[in-house]
Amino acid sequence: MKCLFCDSELQNDSEIEFSSGDMLECEECGELNDYDALVDVAIDEGKELAEKHAKEEIEKMFKKTFK
């Protein structure tokens, strides 16, 4: 996940599990990031990437079909 303020990758101890309501401090800018907001942004970005990939694959299939 990336910091909502400076867009740098958030680092954490792999043994720590975060949950709703937790605040994660960015090591780069020191700002606190709300875990729920980070998850929402990550989900939205994932959906956008999946949609883009699906569109590209559909375009490839149409190009092969109509050659």
Side-chain angles (χ1 to χ4, degrees):
M1 290 190 272
K2 295 181 181 179
C3 176
L4 298 173
F5 300 95
C6 71
D7 207 35
S8 64
E9 189 171 326
L10 294 172
Q11 305 291 324
N12 69 336
D13 185 349
S14 62
E15 295 180 13
I16 297 174
E17 289 190 31
F18 296 101
S19 60
S20 180
D22 287 345
M23 300 297 283
L24 288 75
E25 184 176 0
C26 177
E27 293 180 8
E28 293 293 320
C29 69
E31 291 287 342
L32 293 176
N33 291 269
D34 176 58
Y35 176 78
D36 297 320
L38 290 169
V39 170
D40 289 343
V41 169
I43 289 170
D44 289 343
E45 288 177 354
K47 286 179 182 178
E48 288 175 16
L49 286 173
E51 184 178 317
K52 180 182 175 185
H53 179 71
K55 285 181 181 179
E56 289 172 355
E57 290 300 311
I58 291 169
E59 286 177 12
K60 287 179 189 176
M61 289 186 324
F62 276 120
K63 286 180 182 178
K64 287 181 183 178
T65 302
F66 296 109
K67 274 191 171 186

